[in-house]
Amino acid sequence: MHRSKLSRSILLALGLVSAGGAIAADAGTADTSSSGNAAAPTQLDAMLVTGTRASNRTQFETLAPVDVFTKQDIQSVDSTDLKDVLAQLVPSFVVQRLPMADGQVFVRPATLRGLSPDQTLVLVNGRRFHRSALLGNRGAQAADLAQIPTSALKRIEVLRDGASAQYGSDAIAGVINIILEDSPGTEITAGYSQYAQGDGGSRDFSARTGWALGDYGSLALFAESSNSDATSRTRQRPDAIAFQAAHPELDVPNPVQRWGQPELESRRVGFNLKANASDTLELYAFGLYSHSDGVSDFNWRNPDTTTGAYRTTSIFPGWNLRSLYPVGFSPQYGNTQNDLQLVAGLRGEITPKLRWDLSASHGRNAIDYSLDNSINASLGPDSPTSFDLGRLTQTEKNANADFNYEWDVAALSKPVNVAFGAEFRQETYQVRAGDPASYAVGRGAAAGLEANSNGAPGFSASQAGQWSQRSKAAYVDMEVPLGERWSIGAAGRYEDFSSFGSTVDGKLSARFAITPDVALRGTLSTGFRAPTPAQLNTTSTTQGLDTRTLQIFTSGRLSPSDPLAQLLGAKPLTPEESRTASLGLTWRTELGLSGSVDVYRITLSDRFSQSASFAIPAGTPNPLGYTSVNYFTNDFDTTTTGVDVVGNYLRDLGAGRMTLTLAYNYNQTRVDNGSTSVATNETQRVLFEDRLPEHKGSFTGSWDVGAWSLMARVRYYGKWTDSTGNATGDIYQQFGAMTFLDLAVGYRINEHHSLRVGADNVFDRYPDEATFQASRGLIYSRNAPYDTDGANVYAQYRLSF
């Protein structure tokens, strides 16, 4: 079939064809070494678009480490949540479940190399993906990968290196680039999974179809649906047992609250379009939309001890909350999300060596919160039991102009690749107030009845508002081939923000081929992460349960510009700054063995966190009844050191093909200075240094023979430390290492139909019990870096045509 001149130049620019014109296949595609001898197929030969703007760079030839995961790799993990997929595939990627942790139950934090969730940049088809509206762990505001349908993916590229000089803010730990499917054909998948304990059933359905539009481009459409039931790994709370004994006439639920995954329904759709307008002009566009509804439990309110809600007072004669909730109540926290990403652009060539790409994008994430089975006790009998808590909205607009020039230099055998361009970005954050009753301070507050909706106060009129930030950037990125063995790269980026000024960052890279199949590579770079409008301007209120007193406490997180925060020591936020150095060895052999070892050191200054908690100063108005307050701050410096080891072995075994993959990461973070290094904020120090395992790895073996495919994966997590999260006086517990075994078998009935069955955590293993949380009925730590619900069994049917 005829391919237009533009089509080939665009594919060449994106790294989807080789310089010789051959279409680049998946990770098993053979590559030609610099000596001209064909190297054996290895998983280091995949063509890349992440971390390089050169047109013919393969995974083996990159100046920095890049992992490439194919469609088959993605489908080997039984989950429609992209975070869970990456957690099993990427050794330094960790995601937590966080049951009963407010909005983080639904927007789970995910970290790369142990750094903050918002220190990893997420791209889709090479374009920045917007952030979630939620401010999560220690105020991190990251992109929510769960909003991207896994069935729409062609491959995932993970750059494990600092790249702010190339891509801008957030790319400190690395870059995750999601490549959407664009090939013709239809694929329909239906699956069901359930935990061995009989709960958490998930019904998943996806469909993808694509068309080649003759010589004019391609169009792919995606749709995905998932319905997951809740899980519960809970014992009855000791105080609930005591309450039942004291009130035998009542029927107290067992358990009174549920610790586990939320009930969640998700729908996702999207498209990916490429259309040739002429031989030298291509239009492209893609869009993703998702909608989800979820419900999670909150802590149980004990009628005998929750005096702030169950107090009787002459202000409301004859009213007693026991008449409404005689056995206490566990508020039900609702989360509704709508997420949209739209990108459109034009690209073409001025000359065969000078290509251009103009694009614009719009991203929006809106989260509506609700609370049922609750009360605003200060309103007495006038209080509703269900509340609209308000809405958070993050909106981002981007405009990009990118150019790529292959510069022929007489002294060099290959062209110098010069990329340059500019970017404009605007972020807007909006808080819509909830129902007045959700934040009202009623008449009963004067008698000690708690104000606000009990469990999660709504956003008040004083917290509501809209804030924006704009940035303008220019960059240049060069890769220079110095003969057959040496390649060097240099990148620089200038970016100016309306909120706090400008920053300049740079990156130097080098690669030396010891032999055609063994190479050294290294990078030096600086980076940054800019505070967002939400972090600069918003306030929030949360409630929790002290594990020792079993009393509800209310914490306020103030804006750094809040007068009270400034009285307590708050300063204006500034960007986090990083310096990264890495050195690696990569190899491949004709025997099918390939791999890489990369060591790295990341020093971060002015890291972003929450301050220590402060009591409200005497005489200060406290209408929301805060037990304590804190604020966001550039609080401390850290150094992260680690090593990534990746190995692949492909060979024929009997009548089939065997693939073995080893992936291991060692990652250690230490606090260098700042208030987290002293007793005033010991919790923050522990969280940054010990909350995640220093060791994480996996070993995967697969064997494809005839119509059968077999897969076994061993996952390992090292020891880690958790804390109670008390308002004051945190309690810590160390958890030992865990190993899980996953097994799956697939059978291809014919060219159209296939089946796959398997189980994650086959031996139904659980970590040590969280003894320091037993007072709340929690069995396993909610902050675990792995699933604590036990064995999960699944079956999947796929139709392809």
Side-chain angles (χ1 to χ4, degrees):
M1 179 182 294
H2 169 73
R3 185 186 301 125
S4 72
K5 180 180 179 182
L6 173 72
S7 297
R8 183 184 177 281
S9 67
I10 296 302
L11 292 170
L12 185 67
L14 292 178
L16 300 180
V17 300
S18 68
I23 295 290
D26 288 332
T29 303
D31 181 47
T32 302
S33 69
S34 57
S35 65
N37 299 321
T42 71
Q43 293 199 7
L44 285 181
D45 291 329
M47 299 295 280
L48 301 179
V49 301
T50 308
T52 178
R53 291 181 170 90
S55 62
N56 59 350
R57 186 71 69 193
T58 71
Q59 187 180 3
F60 176 70
E61 296 170 330
T62 56
L63 280 66
V66 181
D67 293 324
V68 178
F69 302 103
T70 66
K71 189 180 188 72
Q72 290 71 30
D73 296 325
I74 298 166
Q75 292 177 345
S76 73
V77 180
D78 177 55
S79 179
T80 59
D81 190 326
L82 185 53
K83 293 179 181 177
D84 292 329
V85 173
L86 288 169
Q88 291 204 24
L89 297 178
V90 181
S92 60
F93 191 89
V94 176
V95 62
Q96 298 167 285
R97 280 288 181 191
L98 295 179
M100 212 180 297
D102 297 354
Q104 293 182 116
V105 176
F106 307 100
V107 184
R108 297 182 296 146
T111 65
L112 187 67
R113 289 185 165 178
L115 301 183
S116 178
D118 55 4
Q119 290 170 345
T120 298
L121 177 63
V122 175
L123 308 175
V124 177
N125 282 355
R127 296 303 176 199
R128 179 182 286 263
F129 189 72
H130 60 275
R131 310 175 197 275
S132 167
L134 175 73
L135 276 68
N137 274 357
R138 298 184 306 281
Q141 188 183 5
D144 184 10
L145 288 162
Q147 303 301 323
I148 301 173
T150 57
S151 59
L153 307 188
K154 183 175 185 177
R155 69 180 186 276
I156 304 171
E157 298 178 357
V158 180
L159 171 64
R160 294 181 275 110
D161 194 47
S164 290
Q166 297 165 294
Y167 297 103
S169 179
D170 307 347
I172 291 177
V175 179
I176 298 174
N177 190 9
I178 311 299
I179 309 300
L180 299 179
E181 184 64 79
D182 58 0
S183 60
T186 298
E187 187 172 88
I188 299 173
T189 303
Y192 180 79
S193 65
Q194 182 175 286
Y195 286 94
Q197 292 198 21
D199 58 5
S202 180
R203 296 154 294 280
D204 305 313
F205 176 84
S206 66
R208 179 195 63 82
T209 188
W211 302 272
L213 306 177
D215 291 340
Y216 300 101
S218 63
L219 173 64
L221 302 177
F222 324 110
E224 192 171 274
S225 171
S226 178
N227 293 272
S228 300
D229 298 332
T231 63
S232 179
R233 302 295 176 265
T234 316
R235 292 195 182 104
Q236 183 67 304
R237 283 174 45 160
D239 61 330
I241 296 174
F243 178 79
Q244 178 70 86
H247 302 276
E249 75 282 3
L250 300 177
D251 184 15
V252 180
N254 187 3
V256 290
Q257 68 185 65
R258 180 186 54 79
W259 290 96
Q261 299 180 33
E263 180 182 337
L264 185 63
E265 295 184 4
S266 302
R267 306 287 184 270
R268 307 180 186 99
V269 295
F271 73 94
N272 190 20
L273 170 68
K274 299 177 183 178
N276 299 327
S278 70
D279 282 351
T280 56
L281 184 64
E282 182 182 67
L283 165 70
Y284 63 91
F286 66 87
L288 300 170
Y289 173 77
S290 68
H291 172 85
S292 63
D293 289 289
V295 178
S296 176
D297 276 21
F298 269 3
N299 286 299
W300 177 63
R301 272 61 176 166
N302 186 332
D304 284 352
T305 60
T306 311
T307 57
Y310 281 89
R311 187 187 305 269
T312 58
T313 170
S314 60
I315 296 177
F316 303 119
W319 182 77
N320 189 327
L321 190 56
R322 290 178 187 265
S323 63
L324 181 62
Y325 297 126
V327 296
F329 63 99
S330 175
Q332 301 294 292
Y333 189 60
N335 176 296
T336 298
Q337 284 198 67
N338 289 282
D339 192 275
L340 175 68
Q341 178 84 4
L342 290 172
V343 176
L346 288 169
R347 55 194 172 200
E349 60 181 37
I350 299 172
T351 71
K353 292 185 177 293
L354 178 58
R355 298 178 293 275
W356 57 270
D357 190 326
L358 303 178
S359 66
S361 67
H362 172 87
R364 181 178 182 271
N365 177 259
I367 307 177
D368 289 273
Y369 293 112
S370 62
L371 196 68
D372 295 323
N373 200 48
S374 183
I375 196 76
N376 182 336
S378 72
L379 297 177
D382 296 327
S383 172
T385 57
S386 296
F387 303 87
D388 171 14
L389 302 181
R391 173 184 296 172
L392 302 177
T393 305
Q394 170 78 7
T395 304
E396 299 181 26
K397 298 176 182 179
N398 276 54
N400 293 80
D402 301 296
F403 300 86
N404 199 84
Y405 179 60
E406 293 182 9
W407 178 23
D408 290 319
V409 178
L412 300 176
S413 59
K414 296 180 181 179
V416 175
N417 197 85
V418 182
F420 55 96
E423 179 180 21
F424 171 80
R425 183 166 73 254
Q426 177 175 296
E427 292 188 50
T428 301
Y429 194 75
Q430 184 176 20
V431 177
R432 177 183 62 77
D435 293 335
S438 70
Y439 58 87
V441 180
R443 291 185 297 128
L449 287 170
E450 292 175 339
N452 315 310
S453 49
N454 201 297
F459 302 115
S460 67
S462 63
Q463 292 174 307
Q466 180 172 298
W467 306 271
S468 292
Q469 175 177 272
R470 295 172 300 281
S471 67
K472 296 173 288 184
Y475 74 89
V476 61
D477 187 355
M478 300 179 64
E479 292 189 26
V480 184
L482 300 177
E484 294 297 322
R485 293 193 171 191
W486 276 103
S487 295
I488 61 173
R493 185 182 185 94
Y494 169 83
E495 192 149 359
D496 181 73
F497 290 82
S498 59
S499 299
F500 48 80
S502 61
T503 179
V504 178
D505 290 278
K507 182 173 183 176
L508 297 175
S509 309
R511 181 182 184 275
F512 177 70
I514 302 171
T515 73
D517 296 317
V518 180
L520 283 170
R521 61 191 179 195
T523 66
L524 293 171
S525 66
T526 63
F528 72 101
R529 190 202 65 80
T532 67
Q535 294 165 340
L536 290 166
N537 298 286
T538 64
T539 65
S540 69
T541 304
T542 59
Q543 291 184 343
L545 182 74
D546 192 289
T547 60
R548 294 175 302 178
T549 66
L550 295 183
Q551 293 298 306
I552 300 296
F553 61 84
T554 302
S555 298
R557 195 267 301 153
L558 307 178
S559 163
S561 60
D562 185 280
L564 176 57
Q566 293 178 344
L567 177 67
L568 297 171
K571 305 292 183 184
L573 293 178
T574 60
E576 298 172 309
E577 302 285 347
S578 70
R579 298 182 302 277
T580 300
S582 68
L583 180 65
L585 176 71
T586 182
W587 68 88
R588 62 184 179 182
T589 72
E590 294 183 357
L591 301 176
L593 179 65
S594 63
S596 63
V597 177
D598 294 274
V599 296
Y600 56 88
R601 177 184 174 91
I602 306 169
T603 58
L604 272 159
S605 59
D606 296 326
R607 282 199 69 172
F608 186 80
S609 185
Q610 289 179 186
S611 71
S613 294
F614 300 92
I616 302 295
T620 302
N622 188 16
L624 296 180
Y626 287 141
T627 309
S628 62
V629 295
N630 56 47
Y631 50 83
F632 291 149
T633 179
N634 296 102
D635 200 29
F636 57 99
D637 303 336
T638 62
T639 298
T640 298
T641 56
V643 58
D644 287 319
V645 180
V646 178
N648 297 285
Y649 181 52
L650 287 75
R651 63 161 296 169
D652 294 331
L653 180 64
R657 181 75 163 169
M658 179 187 70
T659 303
L660 301 177
T661 301
L662 169 70
Y664 166 77
N665 171 254
Y666 168 77
N667 193 85
Q668 181 190 76
T669 295
R670 289 292 177 260
V671 174
D672 298 326
N673 56 64
S675 66
T676 55
S677 61
V678 297
T680 56
N681 207 351
E682 175 69 5
T683 296
Q684 291 295 308
R685 184 195 65 78
V686 171
L687 289 177
F688 276 95
E689 292 189 348
D690 303 321
R691 69 188 173 91
L692 296 175
E694 291 185 348
H695 301 269
K696 180 174 179 279
S698 66
F699 182 75
T700 305
S702 62
W703 186 38
D704 297 319
V705 53
W708 294 91
S709 62
L710 308 174
M711 188 278 290
R713 177 180 291 122
V714 178
R715 293 178 285 130
Y716 174 81
Y717 297 81
K719 64 182 182 180
W720 60 286
T721 299
D722 198 8
S723 68
T724 54
N726 290 338
T728 58
D730 256 339
I731 304 171
Y732 306 99
Q733 181 178 344
Q734 187 179 91
F735 294 88
M738 286 292 295
T739 302
F740 303 100
L741 173 65
D742 309 327
L743 297 175
V745 57
Y747 179 70
R748 189 176 66 256
I749 301 171
N750 54 40
E751 63 177 326
H752 300 300
H753 305 274
S754 63
L755 296 173
R756 191 171 189 265
V757 296
D760 293 339
N761 188 6
V762 170
F763 296 118
D764 199 28
R765 299 199 64 206
Y766 295 87
D768 298 335
E769 293 190 8
T771 56
F772 71 149
Q773 298 273 18
S775 60
R776 296 201 280 181
L778 177 66
I779 301 177
Y780 309 108
S781 172
R782 66 175 180 173
N783 297 314
Y786 37 69
D787 189 349
T788 59
D789 283 334
N792 186 53
V793 181
Y794 60 88
Q796 188 180 79
Y797 163 75
R798 178 170 288 113
L799 170 65
S800 304
F801 56 92

